[in-house]
Amino acid sequence: MKKLSLACVAAMVMVSCQESMETLTERVFVFAEQQCLLMEQQLSDTNTPRTYTPQGVFVTASLSWWCSGFYPGTLWMVYNQTGNESIREFAEKNSRKLADVEACQASHDLGFQYWNSYGRAYQTTLDTSWLPVIEDASRRLAERFSPKVGCIRSWGALNETRNFKVIIDNMMNLELLMEASKLFSCDSLAEIANTHAHTTMANHFRPDYTSYHVLDYDQETGAVKRKMTAQGYADESAWARGQAWGLYGYTMMYRETGDEDYLDMAQKIADSIIPMLPEDAVPYWDFNCPAIPYTYRDASAAAIMASALVELSTFVTDKSRSKFYLATAERQLRSLASPEYMAEKPGSNGCFILRHSTGNLHGDGSNRILETDAPLTYADYYFLEALIRYRNLK
């Protein structure tokens, strides 16, 4: 359980005021470089890092796991900031581990897996050998789109007949389609992404602009059959990471399209959830969990929010609102970079950077046991991305 005392929060604020964001960013990337070099020693050619248990067990996952693209993406970011050629070698190796897209074709998370790995590889190197896999992944993701529903199917096989479930997380996978549309001059990929985003905007959000986690559609009529959660506290609660996915997704779609509806949506989501943040700006795992403040934090949700808010601050025209979004992101980044959330020393925390994330608290078996108050690979990824975005602003 993660509950900060008032004295601890005050100490964090005092330390944060003494350290510039540039110094903080340098410190984090030096540490990230050390952790990545040590992390690599624990991996094989067929797995990817997942988490680290309180009992000191380093846990890996198969390459078909939805998070398999985050570690290579982290490596590319660390290489770009440090220039360490060993990190680049590891980034290439861990990206190419994912070359068999067919093994992941049942997944709706191909954007997480392939844009975060192969996409970053191409952006870094401009080597066209990365492109065929990106094209294949985008085509397979597009196959999950239903014109009747107007969305990309989440869980389940393409020939599933009973359910057509769509999760808010899918907003993140649209970046693969938008980028692939430009890379391969394929307008249909962008059309699919835009249709999914607008359908989600119409159906996934409540009047206060918090979102449901899961919608189940009638795949014959496109009507919404049920609105619910899989990972939040309750169907009508605001699961923290789900809100972060939505904020990030609509900010990204505005960047890619210039569609003002997306910018308006991103601002409404931000304005809905920022007031619900605790003092250190790292949310509890669900904004409406009745056990607050005696329940788990989710550092991953803070990292995703921070990355989105830094970018969103560059798009809004109202200067006071822009400063507010950036200041909120800075609060989150300073908290995450503090001893309360960052690992203590190189080699600790299973070589992950951040502690105190919450994956699927309601998951069955290992999901619940392993991903509660634990390091998670995507928390590290979005933390570093947010710091790079902040640095680039300055």
Side-chain angles (χ1 to χ4, degrees):
M1 295 254 181
K2 186 77 187 87
K3 182 178 182 295
L4 299 179
S5 66
L6 290 177
C8 184
V9 171
M12 287 166 52
V13 172
M14 183 173 67
V15 170
S16 296
C17 291
Q18 296 172 352
E19 183 180 29
S20 72
M21 283 298 292
E22 181 61 28
T23 301
L24 180 153
T25 301
E26 281 296 322
R27 171 171 63 82
V28 171
F29 272 96
V30 167
F31 183 68
E33 180 182 22
Q34 295 169 321
Q35 291 292 73
C36 287
L37 291 171
L38 294 169
M39 175 78 79
E40 191 63 26
Q41 300 174 20
Q42 305 180 86
L43 299 173
S44 73
D45 292 337
T46 59
N47 63 16
T48 190
R50 180 178 176 183
T51 189
Y52 184 73
T53 72
Q55 294 75 34
V57 178
F58 176 67
V59 183
T60 63
S62 71
L63 299 178
S64 62
W65 184 44
W66 73 275
C67 295
S68 58
F70 287 112
Y71 176 60
T74 293
L75 290 167
W76 283 115
M77 286 189 283
V78 172
Y79 166 69
N80 285 330
Q81 296 298 303
T82 66
N84 186 318
E85 290 298 326
S86 293
I87 299 289
R88 175 180 173 136
E89 177 184 337
F90 297 150
E92 292 182 352
K93 181 179 75 173
N94 282 276
S95 296
R96 300 219 186 262
K97 284 181 185 180
L98 305 179
D100 185 6
V101 183
E102 186 175 1
C104 301
Q105 66 179 324
S107 172
H108 61 274
D109 283 320
L110 292 166
F112 281 133
Q113 292 171 291
Y114 287 96
W115 187 247
N116 294 345
S117 56
Y118 274 69
R120 284 200 177 271
Y122 176 69
Q123 289 178 324
T124 299
T125 66
L126 298 181
D127 181 349
T128 56
S129 69
W130 299 103
L131 293 180
V133 168
I134 295 173
E135 185 173 23
D136 190 15
S138 64
R139 178 178 59 82
R140 292 177 185 274
L141 179 58
E143 289 174 352
R144 302 185 68 82
F145 176 74
S146 164
K148 288 184 178 179
V149 174
C151 280
I152 296 166
R153 179 194 294 273
S154 296
W155 310 311
L158 291 176
N159 59 358
E160 169 72 47
T161 58
R162 287 192 308 158
N163 301 308
F164 195 105
K165 290 182 178 177
V166 178
I167 57 177
I168 191 63
D169 318 39
N170 260 18
M171 286 298 303
M172 304 294 287
N173 291 293
L174 302 185
E175 189 168 12
L176 171 64
L177 298 182
M178 296 302 301
E179 295 293 343
S181 177
K182 292 181 289 186
L183 285 170
F184 310 115
S185 300
C186 183
D187 291 344
S188 63
L189 296 177
E191 290 172 6
I192 288 172
N194 276 288
T195 303
H196 179 100
H198 279 283
T199 303
T200 300
M201 193 187 306
N203 296 329
H204 236 92
F205 290 84
R206 305 181 182 96
D208 66 354
Y209 295 100
T210 61
S211 77
Y212 293 91
H213 181 203
V214 188
L215 263 62
D216 189 9
Y217 287 90
D218 185 316
Q219 58 188 336
E220 295 302 321
T221 67
V224 176
K225 296 194 297 183
R226 185 183 173 195
K227 300 182 179 184
M228 54 192 159
T229 194
Q231 293 180 238
Y233 170 74
D235 288 348
E236 294 298 329
S237 70
W239 174 50
R241 195 164 70 251
Q243 312 315 304
W245 291 144
L247 173 64
Y248 189 112
Y250 283 102
T251 303
M252 175 274 297
M253 287 299 292
Y254 176 72
R255 179 226 306 154
E256 294 293 326
T257 67
D259 185 333
E260 293 290 336
D261 287 345
Y262 297 147
L263 179 59
D264 181 62
M265 191 66 185
Q267 291 178 85
K268 285 174 176 174
I269 296 169
D271 294 344
S272 172
I273 61 179
I274 289 175
M276 295 192 285
L277 290 172
E279 189 169 0
D280 70 351
V282 177
Y284 294 92
W285 68 280
D286 190 297
F287 285 112
N288 301 118
C289 178
I292 291 173
Y294 305 104
T295 189
Y296 303 104
R297 300 296 186 101
D298 186 4
S300 75
I304 298 159
M305 281 186 65
S307 188
L309 287 171
V310 172
E311 184 169 44
L312 182 60
S313 75
T314 68
F315 296 147
V316 297
T317 56
D318 184 307
K319 290 184 178 180
S320 62
R321 178 173 283 188
S322 173
K323 289 180 180 179
F324 175 62
Y325 292 157
L326 188 60
T328 303
E330 183 175 328
R331 283 172 59 208
Q332 293 177 312
L333 293 173
R334 288 187 179 278
S335 291
L336 294 176
S338 76
E340 288 299 322
Y341 291 95
M342 214 166 96
E344 297 175 2
K345 58 185 178 179
S348 66
N349 198 41
C351 299
F352 292 89
I353 302 168
L354 292 178
R355 302 177 294 145
H356 305 310
S357 290
T358 300
N360 187 355
L361 190 62
H362 292 319
D364 54 356
S366 64
N367 281 334
R368 181 178 66 253
I369 295 169
L370 295 178
E371 296 184 354
T372 300
D373 195 25
L376 294 173
T377 183
Y378 46 90
D380 290 355
Y381 176 93
Y382 289 107
F383 179 42
L384 297 186
E385 181 184 72
L387 287 170
I388 292 172
R389 287 178 168 179
Y390 192 101
R391 169 182 272 180
N392 289 343
L393 283 184
K394 303 298 181 180

